[in-house]
């Protein structure tokens, strides 16, 4: 597992429309393994990719580093259940943020009321970059996938 971005598949992201994402969105470029993680802020919705719900814990883990980096603290992945019983995973900066979300989303519950995954402490790394890729870097990254 990469000590900086918490997963061992260093070209796993972006998951959806990778070319579009790499070309047009600001990326967190892991200084340790080189993995690019979308960290684009959508000003219309006030959200980044990591704010959205994920289908599985594994997918949520792919984005956890961008949450930690943005919040400068270890964020948690929480398991949520919707009214129809569907399970999803969502990243929150704290238990308080989870509680706020549950208050606003009455159909959702979190059985444990605790995260199912988080890292122990937040760390910064010297070679991290947060920026758009050049077209040459996009091509190289895509070829390595
Ligand atoms: Zn993106
Ligand atoms: Zn990494």
């Amino acid at each position: 597992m990469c000590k900086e971005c918490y997963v061992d598949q260093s070209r796993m992201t972006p998951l959806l429309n990778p070319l579009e994402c790499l070309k047009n969105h600001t990326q967190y470029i892991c200084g340790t393994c080189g993995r690019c993680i979308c960290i684009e802020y959508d000003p219309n919705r006030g959200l980044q990719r990591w704010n959205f719900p994920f289908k599985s814990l594994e997918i949520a883990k792919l984005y956890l580093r961008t949450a930690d980096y943005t919040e400068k603290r270890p964020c948690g992945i929480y398991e949520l259940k919707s009214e129809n019983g569907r399970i999803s995973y969502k990243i929150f900066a704290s238990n308080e943020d989870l509680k706020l979300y549950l208050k606003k989303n009455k159909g959702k519950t979190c059985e444990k009321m605790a995260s199912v995954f988080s890292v122990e402490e937040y760390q910064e790394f010297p070679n991290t970059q947060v920026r758009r890729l050049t077209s040459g870097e996009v091509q190289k990254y895509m070829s390595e996938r």
Side-chain angles (χ1 to χ4, degrees):
M1 170 177 120
C2 177
K3 64 178 170 23
E4 178 173 342
C5 72
Y6 323 140
V7 299
D8 55 11
Q9 300 141 304
S10 69
R11 295 295 178 269
M12 194 64 187
T13 45
L15 291 178
L16 299 168
N17 307 319
L19 197 56
E20 284 291 303
C21 181
L22 291 171
K23 272 186 184 166
N24 303 316
H25 294 164
T26 301
Q27 304 289 323
Y28 176 100
I29 306 167
C30 177
T32 305
C33 73
R35 184 164 70 93
C36 289
I37 318 168
C38 183
I39 196 167
E40 179 82 3
Y41 178 73
D42 178 347
N44 296 320
R45 295 195 277 188
L47 298 169
Q48 286 168 298
R49 180 66 187 90
W50 65 266
N51 293 117
F52 291 87
F54 298 97
K55 272 186 238 161
S56 72
L57 176 59
E58 283 61 42
I59 296 174
K61 273 186 193 174
L62 292 172
Y63 290 89
L64 183 62
R65 178 61 191 171
T66 52
D68 290 1
Y69 181 81
T70 301
E71 300 289 337
K72 304 291 179 226
R73 64 194 290 181
C75 298
I77 301 173
Y78 294 78
E79 189 181 279
L80 301 177
K81 200 190 247 178
S82 63
E83 277 170 314
N84 62 14
R86 196 185 299 143
I87 299 289
S88 63
Y89 294 83
K90 202 167 175 339
I91 299 171
F92 294 101
S94 65
N95 267 42
E96 281 61 50
D97 285 5
L98 165 71
K99 286 177 194 158
L100 268 171
Y101 177 84
L102 292 175
K103 229 180 233 177
K104 284 189 232 156
N105 295 270
K106 293 292 182 197
K108 297 263 201 302
T109 52
C110 179
E111 234 159 78
K112 276 188 167 179
M113 290 306 285
S115 66
V116 290
F117 184 85
S118 68
V119 297
E120 277 189 18
E121 62 172 336
Y122 175 71
Q123 260 184 285
E124 300 256 340
F125 293 85
N127 300 316
T128 304
Q129 294 183 59
V130 175
R131 59 174 174 82
R132 297 248 175 125
L133 269 58
T134 65
S135 57
E137 286 172 327
V138 171
Q139 277 184 5
K140 182 167 182 292
Y141 191 86
M142 287 300 289
S143 75
E144 291 165 354
R145 275 166 65 94

